[in-house]
Amino acid sequence: MAARNGRTVRDLRRGNRTAVLQRLYFDGPMSRYELGPATGLSSGSISNVVAELVADGLVEEAGSVDSDGGRPRTLLRVVPGSGHMIGVDVGETRVRVELFDLTLTELARVERPLERNSIDRPLRSQGYDVDVIVGHIRDGIAEVLAEAGIAPHQLLGVGLGVPGIVDRTPERGAVVHGQTIGWDAVPLESLLRSACELPDTVPYFADNGARTLGQAEMWFGAGRGARNAVVVLFGSGVGACLVTDEVENGRSVEWGHLTVRVRGRRCRCGSLGCLEAYAGAEALLDRWREEGGHPPEGTDEETALTAMLAAAYPSEGTASDPIALAVLEETAEYLGAGLSDLINLFQPERILIGGWAGLQLGSRFLPAVRRYAISYSLRYPAQRVTVDLGRLGPDAVTVGAAILPLADFFARGGRRAEPAPTGPSPAWRTALEERAPH
């Protein structure tokens, strides 16, 4: 039976379950009395929904609190072990696989370094071997499940943060277009379904790594409470996730390929003058070498960047390396100029910088980036924005990836997905866009 607005009774019940689950998840423990005004549902609806969720093992009692002159009120909370998600970060230096319970508490993790990712032989310039990446993900999923003693059918889904643009087709599921890593329409979801021994009831979700980072910061990190924000992924390259009133919530953009210098340095994508050709860690280290610096040979980018920072900002009593310092200052200016374009275009309340390189450069680098971002921006939006580091650390991409199946679970009212060989329904995107209560 359909209501006047086209929604069926089943839709209404699912929406009620979603409202109660999300409120308990983000603001719980809460009593039934508090859930009414918090969700806008009647006391009768709250009683029915809570009874269903308790019977399904999703909600449990969590003590009680005194009420004003009446009986103590029983508190309710989401059961942490009632669901599990896997988050995967296909990064520049490693593939990270993490298993979480429903409250996003980490239960197990596996990391696989990517071969030949030294600064003198960067992996990205050679492309990512698809079979190697799929093998790392397959083995990582099996290992974290075994370590935590979780059966595959207990998973709500597997979320992946990947470089590049992610499209979805009915036939092949998530398809990745990663020009800088040599991926041209790679059917990643289909490949994983063939390689991983997971039931068809376990859906896969894939999105750009900058977007999963942004989603994590918006739900649980420094972006919580903001309606307009930019979350920057600063790693071997750079990317961004926009959350604004004018742009679809949580939309990833290829910000690293914004042109910042006409006929400038050649970027990994093949174009000239991209921001990523100046502001990514790989380009930063290349420029240090080109200017006469001496990055340690045969090391990975993270180790080399640590050495560069130590040279530019040495301990007390040691002379600074002027070349390293000058390159870092120039990089801060390019990054700030790139941020100014986002400030002028989207007028965000906050800009948050994450990613392994962003966190490594950290507070020493941030004041210069902030100064240049403000100086290149229009005065009015510049006065309203703050530029800070993200709060969730190096695991933010995997946390955000795990949020993808969690959002789908919420959108379904706490019910598991039906068998779907080509992946989940579009409902999970709606749940992401509604985000956590502020």
Side-chain angles (χ1 to χ4, degrees):
M1 178 178 178
R4 291 183 180 179
N5 60 4
R7 299 182 68 192
T8 65
V9 173
R10 182 178 179 181
D11 292 334
L12 294 172
R13 291 180 62 186
R14 181 172 60 245
N16 291 348
R17 284 171 61 100
T18 295
V20 172
L21 262 180
Q22 287 187 318
R23 188 59 65 177
L24 287 176
Y25 189 87
F26 292 109
D27 299 325
M30 299 177 70
S31 67
R32 291 173 177 81
Y33 179 81
E34 294 170 309
L35 280 169
T39 60
L41 300 178
S42 68
S43 58
S45 294
I46 291 293
S47 295
N48 291 336
V49 171
V50 167
E52 286 183 13
L53 295 175
V54 170
D56 290 346
L58 296 174
V59 169
E60 64 185 1
E61 294 185 357
S64 61
V65 292
D66 293 332
S67 60
D68 297 333
R71 297 172 56 188
R73 292 177 181 149
T74 301
L75 295 176
L76 302 166
R77 70 173 182 183
V78 172
V79 180
S82 57
H84 300 85
M85 299 84 65
I86 284 177
V88 179
D89 176 10
V90 180
E92 294 107 343
T93 61
R94 62 177 60 85
V95 173
R96 178 183 287 125
V97 180
E98 295 185 54
L99 174 68
F100 302 90
D101 68 15
L102 197 64
T103 59
L104 285 173
T105 298
E106 181 190 309
L107 303 179
R109 75 159 60 198
V110 168
E111 292 188 0
R112 289 286 183 272
L114 295 177
E115 298 289 335
R116 293 162 47 179
N117 194 37
S118 62
I119 60 170
D120 49 329
R121 300 178 68 192
L123 176 66
R124 277 178 167 250
S125 65
Q126 304 168 37
Y128 281 17
D129 187 313
V130 176
D131 292 337
V132 169
I133 299 296
V134 169
H136 285 336
I137 297 172
R138 176 199 62 215
D139 296 343
I141 289 174
E143 289 183 38
V144 295
L145 289 175
E147 180 180 338
I150 301 298
H153 71 269
Q154 294 177 268
L155 287 176
L156 300 179
V158 177
L160 304 106
V162 299
I165 299 169
V166 180
D167 191 16
R168 176 169 291 280
T169 69
E171 299 79 15
R172 299 191 295 175
V175 176
V176 182
H177 307 268
Q179 188 167 325
T180 61
I181 61 171
W183 284 15
D184 183 13
V186 171
L188 185 60
E189 181 176 335
S190 296
L191 294 173
L192 288 172
R193 286 196 176 279
S194 298
C196 300
E197 297 180 357
L198 296 179
D200 288 342
T201 52
V202 177
Y204 289 84
F205 307 77
D207 217 323
N208 179 271
R211 186 170 190 266
T212 64
L213 169 69
Q215 196 61 61
E217 290 288 350
M218 294 304 294
W219 275 36
F220 301 109
R224 187 169 168 81
R227 294 299 306 177
N228 301 282
V230 173
V231 184
V232 170
L233 175 60
F234 185 3
S236 192
V238 293
C241 173
L242 305 181
V243 184
T244 75
D245 293 332
E246 292 78 19
V247 178
E248 178 187 356
N249 291 342
R251 175 179 169 185
S252 61
V253 293
E254 291 294 335
W255 173 62
H257 303 289
L258 172 82
T259 301
V260 294
R261 188 167 182 173
V262 177
R263 294 186 295 275
R265 298 181 82 249
R266 187 166 297 280
C267 179
R268 298 177 303 191
C269 73
S271 296
L272 297 175
C274 294
L275 174 62
E276 191 165 288
Y278 296 90
E282 182 180 307
L284 193 159
L285 293 167
D286 286 344
R287 287 165 47 230
W288 185 26
R289 184 191 297 107
E290 291 165 7
E291 294 296 325
H294 301 284
E297 299 296 327
T299 60
D300 60 43
E301 287 178 0
E302 294 186 39
T303 303
L305 186 57
T306 299
M308 185 178 190
L309 287 171
Y313 308 111
S315 56
E316 190 174 348
T318 305
S320 173
D321 178 343
I323 297 176
L325 191 59
V327 171
L328 283 170
E329 179 71 13
E330 186 182 43
T331 300
E333 183 169 7
Y334 275 114
L335 191 60
L339 292 179
S340 74
D341 290 328
L342 297 176
I343 292 172
N344 291 339
L345 284 169
F346 304 108
Q347 302 180 28
E349 301 167 33
R350 304 174 197 173
I351 292 178
L352 307 172
I353 299 177
W356 67 265
L359 297 173
Q360 202 165 337
L361 292 167
S363 57
R364 281 184 168 175
F365 192 64
L366 188 62
V369 173
R370 186 185 289 123
R371 182 174 68 252
Y372 286 119
I374 299 304
S375 67
Y376 280 109
S377 300
L378 294 172
R379 186 182 307 113
Y380 177 71
Q383 291 172 342
R384 301 174 63 243
V385 70
T386 60
V387 182
D388 292 299
L389 295 175
R391 294 179 186 167
L392 297 182
D395 293 338
V397 173
T398 48
V399 171
I403 286 175
L404 302 180
L406 177 63
D408 180 69
F409 185 63
F410 285 157
R412 296 176 186 275
R415 300 193 187 281
R416 293 177 181 270
E418 299 294 329
T422 58
S425 70
W428 64 281
R429 288 198 175 274
T430 302
L432 287 179
E433 291 165 10
E434 292 174 351
R435 298 197 311 276
H438 300 311

Tab-separated table of all heavy atoms in Angstrom, residues 313 325 328-337 339 353 362-376 387:
chain	number	residue	atom	x	y	z
A	313	TYR	N	64.055	21.695	8.935
A	313	TYR	CA	63.780	22.140	10.309
A	313	TYR	C	64.619	21.299	11.275
A	313	TYR	O	64.102	20.431	11.977
A	313	TYR	CB	62.297	21.981	10.630
A	313	TYR	CG	61.375	22.619	9.630
A	313	TYR	CD1	60.578	21.835	8.793
A	313	TYR	CD2	61.285	23.999	9.520
A	313	TYR	CE1	59.713	22.414	7.876
A	313	TYR	CE2	60.428	24.590	8.602
A	313	TYR	CZ	59.642	23.792	7.779
A	313	TYR	OH	58.788	24.368	6.867
A	325	LEU	N	64.378	23.936	2.682
A	325	LEU	CA	63.488	24.938	3.257
A	325	LEU	C	62.805	25.748	2.157
A	325	LEU	O	61.588	26.011	2.221
A	325	LEU	CB	64.273	25.861	4.184
A	325	LEU	CG	63.452	26.811	5.066
A	325	LEU	CD1	62.516	26.037	5.972
A	325	LEU	CD2	64.398	27.686	5.896
A	328	LEU	N	60.107	23.619	0.394
A	328	LEU	CA	58.924	23.480	1.242
A	328	LEU	C	58.112	24.768	1.265
A	328	LEU	O	56.875	24.737	1.211
A	328	LEU	CB	59.336	23.087	2.663
A	328	LEU	CG	59.728	21.627	2.870
A	328	LEU	CD1	60.345	21.425	4.243
A	328	LEU	CD2	58.501	20.719	2.719
A	329	GLU	N	58.788	25.907	1.325
A	329	GLU	CA	58.081	27.185	1.328
A	329	GLU	C	57.353	27.388	-0.008
A	329	GLU	O	56.200	27.843	-0.028
A	329	GLU	CB	59.078	28.324	1.563
A	329	GLU	CG	58.463	29.710	1.557
A	329	GLU	CD	57.599	29.998	2.777
A	329	GLU	OE1	57.663	29.218	3.756
A	329	GLU	OE2	56.857	30.995	2.741
A	330	GLU	N	57.995	27.035	-1.108
A	330	GLU	CA	57.344	27.167	-2.406
A	330	GLU	C	56.156	26.219	-2.517
A	330	GLU	O	55.111	26.564	-3.075
A	330	GLU	CB	58.351	26.886	-3.528
A	330	GLU	CG	57.776	27.140	-4.913
A	330	GLU	CD	58.760	26.814	-6.026
A	330	GLU	OE1	59.428	25.756	-5.931
A	330	GLU	OE2	58.849	27.608	-6.978
A	331	THR	N	56.311	25.012	-1.975
A	331	THR	CA	55.211	24.048	-1.987
A	331	THR	C	54.034	24.575	-1.184
A	331	THR	O	52.874	24.426	-1.589
A	331	THR	CB	55.685	22.698	-1.418
A	331	THR	OG1	56.746	22.198	-2.217
A	331	THR	CG2	54.548	21.682	-1.400
A	332	ALA	N	54.314	25.190	-0.036
A	332	ALA	CA	53.252	25.784	0.777
A	332	ALA	C	52.510	26.851	-0.010
A	332	ALA	O	51.278	26.985	0.082
A	332	ALA	CB	53.834	26.365	2.061
A	333	GLU	N	53.238	27.626	-0.821
A	333	GLU	CA	52.592	28.675	-1.607
A	333	GLU	C	51.707	28.072	-2.698
A	333	GLU	O	50.581	28.525	-2.917
A	333	GLU	CB	53.626	29.609	-2.226
A	333	GLU	CG	52.995	30.765	-2.993
A	333	GLU	CD	53.986	31.838	-3.379
A	333	GLU	OE1	55.204	31.635	-3.171
A	333	GLU	OE2	53.535	32.884	-3.890
A	334	TYR	N	52.200	27.043	-3.394
A	334	TYR	CA	51.377	26.397	-4.410
A	334	TYR	C	50.123	25.774	-3.785
A	334	TYR	O	49.012	25.893	-4.316
A	334	TYR	CB	52.179	25.327	-5.143
A	334	TYR	CG	53.011	25.860	-6.283
A	334	TYR	CD1	54.403	25.820	-6.241
A	334	TYR	CD2	52.407	26.409	-7.414
A	334	TYR	CE1	55.177	26.307	-7.289
A	334	TYR	CE2	53.162	26.900	-8.467
A	334	TYR	CZ	54.546	26.846	-8.397
A	334	TYR	OH	55.293	27.339	-9.444
A	335	LEU	N	50.308	25.095	-2.652
A	335	LEU	CA	49.172	24.463	-1.994
A	335	LEU	C	48.181	25.522	-1.518
A	335	LEU	O	46.968	25.370	-1.686
A	335	LEU	CB	49.653	23.620	-0.817
A	335	LEU	CG	48.636	22.685	-0.173
A	335	LEU	CD1	48.121	21.671	-1.179
A	335	LEU	CD2	49.248	21.970	1.023
A	336	GLY	N	48.687	26.606	-0.931
A	336	GLY	CA	47.807	27.677	-0.491
A	336	GLY	C	47.064	28.320	-1.646
A	336	GLY	O	45.865	28.632	-1.544
A	337	ALA	N	47.764	28.523	-2.781
A	337	ALA	CA	47.107	29.091	-3.951
A	337	ALA	C	46.007	28.161	-4.454
A	337	ALA	O	44.919	28.607	-4.857
A	337	ALA	CB	48.130	29.344	-5.050
A	339	LEU	N	44.300	26.067	-2.601
A	339	LEU	CA	43.202	26.165	-1.634
A	339	LEU	C	42.401	27.447	-1.846
A	339	LEU	O	41.182	27.461	-1.645
A	339	LEU	CB	43.747	26.127	-0.204
A	339	LEU	CG	44.362	24.810	0.261
A	339	LEU	CD1	44.878	24.941	1.683
A	339	LEU	CD2	43.375	23.660	0.160
A	353	ILE	N	43.215	19.386	6.267
A	353	ILE	CA	44.288	18.738	5.511
A	353	ILE	C	44.637	17.414	6.172
A	353	ILE	O	44.992	17.368	7.353
A	353	ILE	CB	45.530	19.642	5.429
A	353	ILE	CG1	45.168	20.950	4.715
A	353	ILE	CG2	46.662	18.933	4.694
A	353	ILE	CD1	46.308	21.953	4.654
A	362	GLY	N	52.518	18.448	8.843
A	362	GLY	CA	51.906	18.863	10.084
A	362	GLY	C	51.951	20.339	10.424
A	362	GLY	O	51.875	21.215	9.564
A	363	SER	N	52.076	20.600	11.723
A	363	SER	CA	51.916	21.956	12.240
A	363	SER	C	53.006	22.906	11.768
A	363	SER	O	52.788	24.116	11.714
A	363	SER	CB	51.877	21.920	13.770
A	363	SER	OG	53.046	21.308	14.288
A	364	ARG	N	54.194	22.398	11.423
A	364	ARG	CA	55.250	23.292	10.948
A	364	ARG	C	54.934	23.859	9.574
A	364	ARG	O	55.311	24.983	9.236
A	364	ARG	CB	56.584	22.543	10.891
A	364	ARG	CG	57.248	22.408	12.254
A	364	ARG	CD	58.600	21.742	12.107
A	364	ARG	NE	59.374	21.856	13.332
A	364	ARG	CZ	60.549	21.284	13.523
A	364	ARG	NH1	61.085	20.570	12.540
A	364	ARG	NH2	61.195	21.432	14.653
A	365	PHE	N	54.272	23.085	8.770
A	365	PHE	CA	53.954	23.449	7.395
A	365	PHE	C	52.668	24.263	7.320
A	365	PHE	O	52.503	25.103	6.440
A	365	PHE	CB	53.829	22.156	6.596
A	365	PHE	CG	53.775	22.317	5.109
A	365	PHE	CD1	54.844	22.826	4.399
A	365	PHE	CD2	52.648	21.921	4.403
A	365	PHE	CE1	54.809	22.942	3.014
A	365	PHE	CE2	52.591	22.031	3.025
A	365	PHE	CZ	53.679	22.544	2.334
A	366	LEU	N	51.741	23.999	8.248
A	366	LEU	CA	50.398	24.550	8.166
A	366	LEU	C	50.331	26.076	8.203
A	366	LEU	O	49.572	26.666	7.423
A	366	LEU	CB	49.526	23.953	9.275
A	366	LEU	CG	48.041	24.295	9.215
A	366	LEU	CD1	47.409	23.771	7.942
A	366	LEU	CD2	47.324	23.713	10.435
A	367	PRO	N	51.077	26.779	9.070
A	367	PRO	CA	50.957	28.248	9.091
A	367	PRO	C	51.251	28.897	7.744
A	367	PRO	O	50.562	29.846	7.349
A	367	PRO	CB	51.975	28.668	10.166
A	367	PRO	CG	52.083	27.476	11.063
A	367	PRO	CD	51.948	26.295	10.157
A	368	ALA	N	52.264	28.391	7.029
A	368	ALA	CA	52.589	28.964	5.723
A	368	ALA	C	51.471	28.684	4.715
A	368	ALA	O	51.085	29.562	3.932
A	368	ALA	CB	53.916	28.407	5.216
A	369	VAL	N	50.935	27.462	4.721
A	369	VAL	CA	49.824	27.128	3.824
A	369	VAL	C	48.635	28.030	4.114
A	369	VAL	O	48.003	28.590	3.190
A	369	VAL	CB	49.428	25.647	3.978
A	369	VAL	CG1	48.166	25.339	3.172
A	369	VAL	CG2	50.561	24.736	3.538
A	370	ARG	N	48.317	28.189	5.388
A	370	ARG	CA	47.196	29.035	5.781
A	370	ARG	C	47.416	30.480	5.325
A	370	ARG	O	46.505	31.131	4.804
A	370	ARG	CB	47.022	28.964	7.297
A	370	ARG	CG	45.798	29.688	7.815
A	370	ARG	CD	45.767	29.684	9.337
A	370	ARG	NE	45.485	28.364	9.888
A	370	ARG	CZ	46.285	27.721	10.748
A	370	ARG	NH1	47.448	28.258	11.093
A	370	ARG	NH2	45.935	26.550	11.221
A	371	ARG	N	48.620	30.985	5.512
A	371	ARG	CA	48.928	32.369	5.147
A	371	ARG	C	48.735	32.596	3.642
A	371	ARG	O	48.113	33.576	3.218
A	371	ARG	CB	50.357	32.703	5.561
A	371	ARG	CG	50.777	34.139	5.284
A	371	ARG	CD	52.148	34.446	5.843
A	371	ARG	NE	53.224	33.730	5.151
A	371	ARG	CZ	53.906	32.727	5.671
A	371	ARG	NH1	53.627	32.274	6.897
A	371	ARG	NH2	54.885	32.149	4.978
A	372	TYR	N	49.262	31.674	2.828
A	372	TYR	CA	49.122	31.833	1.380
A	372	TYR	C	47.677	31.637	0.926
A	372	TYR	O	47.215	32.341	0.010
A	372	TYR	CB	50.041	30.849	0.660
A	372	TYR	CG	51.500	31.228	0.716
A	372	TYR	CD1	52.438	30.395	1.319
A	372	TYR	CD2	51.942	32.428	0.166
A	372	TYR	CE1	53.787	30.734	1.371
A	372	TYR	CE2	53.286	32.785	0.215
A	372	TYR	CZ	54.205	31.932	0.819
A	372	TYR	OH	55.518	32.284	0.870
A	373	ALA	N	46.973	30.697	1.527
A	373	ALA	CA	45.574	30.471	1.146
A	373	ALA	C	44.747	31.734	1.369
A	373	ALA	O	43.932	32.122	0.513
A	373	ALA	CB	44.993	29.303	1.937
A	374	ILE	N	44.949	32.391	2.487
A	374	ILE	CA	44.195	33.602	2.792
A	374	ILE	C	44.620	34.754	1.876
A	374	ILE	O	43.790	35.517	1.370
A	374	ILE	CB	44.389	33.998	4.265
A	374	ILE	CG1	43.871	32.874	5.185
A	374	ILE	CG2	43.703	35.313	4.570
A	374	ILE	CD1	42.441	32.469	4.955
A	375	SER	N	45.927	34.876	1.623
A	375	SER	CA	46.414	36.011	0.836
A	375	SER	C	45.968	35.941	-0.618
A	375	SER	O	45.801	36.979	-1.270
A	375	SER	CB	47.948	36.084	0.910
A	375	SER	OG	48.547	34.971	0.255
A	376	TYR	N	45.747	34.734	-1.161
A	376	TYR	CA	45.325	34.587	-2.552
A	376	TYR	C	43.803	34.567	-2.706
A	376	TYR	O	43.302	34.496	-3.834
A	376	TYR	CB	45.901	33.300	-3.154
A	376	TYR	CG	47.342	33.404	-3.587
A	376	TYR	CD1	48.357	32.753	-2.888
A	376	TYR	CD2	47.704	34.152	-4.705
A	376	TYR	CE1	49.687	32.831	-3.292
A	376	TYR	CE2	49.019	34.240	-5.122
A	376	TYR	CZ	50.009	33.587	-4.409
A	376	TYR	OH	51.316	33.678	-4.814
A	387	VAL	N	41.617	26.940	8.388
A	387	VAL	CA	42.447	25.918	7.737
A	387	VAL	C	43.188	25.156	8.828
A	387	VAL	O	44.011	25.728	9.549
A	387	VAL	CB	43.453	26.545	6.749
A	387	VAL	CG1	44.263	25.459	6.052
A	387	VAL	CG2	42.732	27.411	5.720
